[in-house]
Structure formats: structure tokens, C-alpha cells
Amino acid sequence: MINDFKHHVNRLRSSGLRPTKQRLTLCKVLFDRKETFHFTIDNLKKRIEKTTKSKISLATVYNTVHAFKNNGYLREISLQGNKTFFDTNSSSHHHFYDQDTGDLIDIKNEDIIVSKLPSAPKGKKIKQIEVTLSLANNNQNQKK
Amino acid sequence: MINDFKHHVNRLRSSGLRPTKQRLTLCKVLFDRKETFHFTIDNLKKRIEKTTKSKISLATVYNTVHAFKNNGYLREISLQGNKTFFDTNSSSHHHFYDQDTGDLIDIKNEDIIVSKLPSAPKGKKIKQIEVTLSLANNNQNQKK
DNA sequence: AAAATAATTTATAATCATTCTAAACTAGAA
DNA sequence: TTCTAGTTTAGAATGATTATAAATTATTTT
């Protein structure tokens, strides 16, 4: 399965995206792995430079990540702060967010149970339920 | 209580913040109201210009909002996208986020029940539980 | 109350992430 | 092979936020 990218080609085609060299490189970097990958655009750019010989322009990384997100290959994570994080785990799950370090840690879906929800406003549908648990050091008070 | 700002002065003093003209103006705009106020820095700047005669520089609005946040007067809301929202409701509650319009809607704490939580990593403490329910129009599919 | 001090405010510049633009390039169709 | 629309690209433009350093103000000390 790894080192075989026909399934990437097929997925791209079925989303109406041409399987270009750049998109396939991104697919390999993002999806040919066991673990969930949390990343910012900047992270991802650096990882591409480190793990492949391909040079992909910043604009293309942005374009591709957004295309992948719009087609459900990636999720954007809701977080405080100015950084936009994405997640290769598109199944439903939640996150710890460490306010001190900026780290994100996956929480398996079954480790959080939301047992009551309000109904969506008229004409709207709930598309995603995200629980973020913000962490800070035990000893530390809130003031700066 | 409204039109009396001694309590604002006291609160600022007890946080080690000098009760300056600018900070008191911000306190009045933010806290002398019944309803929760969701805002971006830009929103807030415009509201100050509209509802008061004071001119407060953009840098001061940033500084003050961050000071208020660090002292627990305001919360920053976790959201997708590049805009940073703050919330005057510092008691625990949650949000609908409308992906089409960017609107934020409060959800009362009692309308969501999180009945199971993971324990925090060693040395860390859970500081905040935030549930974000993303909304989209009923009829619309995910693709762009 | 005046002088000293430390915090605060301010305009502006700098930075950073992201989007836009328009030209060059490429995949797939004819 | 040629054509066409989709894609990539470098660099410019934008927008939010942070940094800087001088002027101002609140509070403390005298």
C-alpha cells in the first residue's frame, strides 16, 4: 500500500482534481503514514523539503491543502491563536491544546462523550462537533 | 451599577492594572451590558468610535484586550479561520460557529453535557473545556 | 504640592500568515 | 500533435498582529 500511489490518483480523480506531481507528493507526505499528522502550512512546507526532493511553491502548498480540506481529506482544527492547524485524521476526534507549548494532542473519539446537544438553528445543520481541552501547567496561575 | 465605574477601578487595581482613561472606557464598552459580547479587535475598535467620544489607538486596544484576557476578564474563543474572537462571557459556555457567515452564537452551558473526559497529561491541568459546533446550510454539500 | 519613577499610550514600522495576480507550464482531450 | 482548461509559480498585495521608542500619565516619594 505504501509506495503504491494508484489509490491517491484515484481519490484525486474522483474529487475532480488532476493528479499532478505536486498533489501526489503532498498525498504521500500527508497520508502514507500510520499516525495522525497535525500541521501548519509552514510545518508541512518544511517537511516536504526535508523528506522529498520535490520543490513545491508556497502558493501550491496553500492551494493544495485547501483543495484537500474542501474535499474532506483534511480537517481544519479550531484553536485559539493566530496559527491555523490541519489534521490528517478526518474521522471525528478531539484535542488537547497546550497553551504553554502550542502542542496539539489527539483525544480518541471514545474518550469524550457529549451526551446532550442543542438543536441547530433553522435551516442549518451541525457539521462538526469539536471539543478542545486547553491545558496549562499545574502550578501556574493565570496571570501573566 | 451601570454609570458607576468604581467597580471597574477596583477590579483593575486588584489585577495590578492602573485604571487609566482608556482602560475604563474599554471596561464600560465591554462590561456595562446585559448580553454577552463576541468581538474581534476590529469590531471593538469600531464600537468604541461609535459609542464614545474617546479616541483609543489600535495598539492600546490590542494591549488592553490582552491584559483583560490574561486577567480573566475576557476569553479568547477557539475557532477555525484566521479571525481571533473574544467573548465577554467568561463563565463556561460553548458556541455555534456558522461556517457560511462567520457568525458566533452562544450555547448555554447547560445545553451541552460532556459526560466523559480524558485525564490531563502528567503535570498539566485542564483549564478550559470548549465545544464548538460548526454549522452549514442544510442543503449544501461540502465541496467548493 | 512638586519632583521623581515607572507604567501606559501612541503613531508608526516591522513581521507574519495568507491571498491575489498574471504569466508559464502541464494534463488530458480532440 | 495541437488545443484547452486546469495548475503551478514567483512575487506583489493584503490584513492582522506585534515591536519600537518617544511622549504622556498615574502613582510614589520627597
Side-chain angles (χ1 to χ4, degrees):
Chain A
M1 191 65 77
I2 310 283
N3 294 333
D4 167 19
F5 49 87
K6 287 210 193 96
H7 63 296
H8 293 317
V9 173
N10 292 338
R11 179 150 79 151
L12 289 168
R13 281 236 168 76
S14 75
S15 307
L17 298 171
R18 288 187 180 172
T20 62
K21 197 155 48 76
Q22 292 86 344
R23 284 174 179 161
L24 286 168
T25 299
L26 265 280
C27 278
K28 283 184 237 162
V29 170
L30 290 171
F31 306 118
D32 285 350
R33 53 172 57 231
K34 291 251 168 53
E35 316 254 310
T36 308
F37 184 27
H38 296 132
F39 63 91
T40 62
I41 297 289
D42 190 54
N43 286 342
L44 178 57
K45 187 92 193 327
K46 289 195 176 111
R47 175 171 288 261
I48 295 163
E49 282 157 10
K50 209 166 84 187
T51 64
T52 76
K53 305 120 224 142
S54 327
K55 283 166 218 69
I56 303 187
S57 78
L58 183 59
T60 300
V61 179
Y62 273 97
N63 290 341
T64 306
V65 165
H66 287 134
F68 286 5
K69 176 191 156 194
N70 288 334
N71 287 282
Y73 305 0
L74 295 171
R75 285 201 324 167
E76 185 180 336
I77 300 172
S78 293
L79 280 188
Q80 293 180 182
N82 40 359
K83 277 177 191 151
T84 302
F85 274 84
F86 296 89
D87 190 326
T88 54
N89 184 342
S90 61
S91 76
S92 179
H93 68 287
H94 308 288
H95 297 97
F96 281 121
Y97 176 57
D98 190 320
Q99 296 182 323
D100 301 316
T101 63
D103 288 345
L104 265 186
I105 306 167
D106 270 347
I107 300 171
K108 278 178 293 179
N109 203 36
E110 62 262 32
D111 286 344
I112 291 188
I113 296 175
V114 180
S115 54
K116 186 182 177 190
L117 280 179
S119 48
K122 220 184 152 92
K124 299 285 176 177
K125 217 183 138 180
I126 295 176
K127 287 286 179 181
Q128 195 175 83
I129 302 173
E130 265 184 288
V131 180
T132 304
L133 305 182
S134 297
L135 299 174
N137 287 331
N138 231 331
N139 53 342
Q140 169 185 311
N141 65 26
Q142 285 300 70
K143 301 193 186 169
K144 171 59 191 327
Chain B
M1 191 64 78
I2 311 283
N3 294 333
D4 167 19
F5 49 88
K6 285 208 193 97
H7 63 296
H8 294 317
V9 173
N10 293 338
R11 178 150 79 151
L12 289 168
R13 281 236 168 76
S14 75
S15 306
L17 298 171
R18 289 185 179 173
T20 62
K21 196 155 50 76
Q22 292 84 345
R23 284 174 178 160
L24 286 168
T25 299
L26 265 280
C27 278
K28 283 184 238 163
V29 170
L30 290 170
F31 306 119
D32 285 352
R33 54 173 55 234
K34 292 251 170 52
E35 316 254 309
T36 308
F37 183 28
H38 296 132
F39 62 93
T40 62
I41 297 288
D42 189 56
N43 286 342
L44 178 56
K45 187 93 192 330
K46 289 197 177 109
R47 176 172 287 260
I48 295 162
E49 281 157 12
K50 207 165 86 183
T51 64
T52 76
K53 304 121 225 142
S54 328
K55 284 165 217 71
I56 303 186
S57 79
L58 183 60
T60 300
V61 178
Y62 272 97
N63 290 341
T64 305
V65 165
H66 286 135
F68 286 5
K69 176 192 157 192
N70 288 334
N71 286 281
Y73 305 1
L74 295 171
R75 283 202 323 169
E76 185 179 336
I77 300 173
S78 293
L79 280 188
Q80 292 179 184
N82 42 358
K83 276 179 191 150
T84 302
F85 274 85
F86 296 88
D87 189 326
T88 54
N89 184 343
S90 61
S91 76
S92 178
H93 69 286
H94 308 287
H95 297 97
F96 282 121
Y97 176 57
D98 190 321
Q99 295 182 324
D100 301 316
T101 63
D103 288 345
L104 264 186
I105 306 167
D106 271 348
I107 300 171
K108 279 177 293 179
N109 203 35
E110 63 262 31
D111 286 345
I112 290 189
I113 296 175
V114 180
S115 54
K116 185 182 178 188
L117 280 179
S119 49
K122 218 182 153 94
K124 299 285 178 178
K125 219 183 135 181
I126 296 175
K127 286 286 177 180
Q128 195 175 83
I129 302 172
E130 264 184 288
V131 180
T132 304
L133 305 182
S134 297
L135 298 174
N137 287 332
N138 230 331
N139 52 343
Q140 171 185 310
N141 66 25
Q142 286 299 70
K143 301 195 186 167
K144 165 67 189 322

